[in-house]
Amino acid sequence: EVQLQASGGGLVQVGGSLRLSCAASGFIFDDYCIGWFRQVPGKEREAISSISSRDGTTFYADSVRGRFTISSNNAKNTVNLQINSLLPEDTAVYYCAGDLGVCPLVIYEEYFNYWGQGTLVTVSS
């Protein structure tokens, strides 16, 4: 059974940093796609980043490119999302999602069969 667990959210001031982690278990093959999404209440879920474990290919949404960095630790089956220079508009619940294989060039919700619980990031001004 595939399970994903997101962690690392919290309250941070504008300009601060956090590191979110997504711990994955149950993937039989070391060949998976992990994506990060975020959602503000009342708005659609936004795809923000992804990484393919096979070749390390990454994707970033324009809204986070240059501030967020995704990385994977295959030995620990963990994907981290380093988020820097936080802005009030980054306040959201952040979710990680996973599935087998290489990520699509631009991730989307329907691609993923497995989801972790969300972790809340709150940026105070």
Side-chain angles (χ1 to χ4, degrees), residues 8 11-19 67 82-86:
L11 174 64
V12 64
Q13 292 186 332
V14 170
S17 299
L18 284 173
R19 189 175 77 166
R67 299 188 298 121
Q82 179 69 37
I83 51 178
N84 299 327
S85 303
L86 281 161

Side-chain angles (χ1 to χ4, degrees), residues 22-34:
C22 180
S25 63
F27 284 108
I28 298 175
F29 303 105
D30 188 16
D31 184 11
Y32 57 83
C33 168
I34 296 292

Side-chain angles (χ1 to χ4, degrees), residues 103-118:
C103 296
L105 289 178
V106 179
I107 60 170
Y108 50 96
E109 286 188 70
E110 292 79 7
Y111 176 80
F112 296 95
N113 284 303
Y114 307 103
W115 290 81
Q117 87 291 0

Side-chain angles (χ1 to χ4, degrees), residues 83-99:
I83 51 178
N84 299 327
S85 303
L86 281 161
L87 304 169
E89 50 264 42
D90 292 320
T91 295
V93 178
Y94 285 69
Y95 298 89
C96 64
D99 217 312

Side-chain angles (χ1 to χ4, degrees), residues 42-70:
K43 294 189 176 181
E44 292 187 356
R45 193 169 293 185
E46 177 190 11
I48 57 174
S49 186
S50 68
I51 189 166
S52 297
S53 66
R54 183 190 300 178
D55 58 9
T57 301
T58 59
F59 155 77
Y60 296 99
D62 289 343
S63 58
V64 305
R65 186 176 294 114
R67 299 188 298 121
F68 290 16
T69 303
I70 193 169

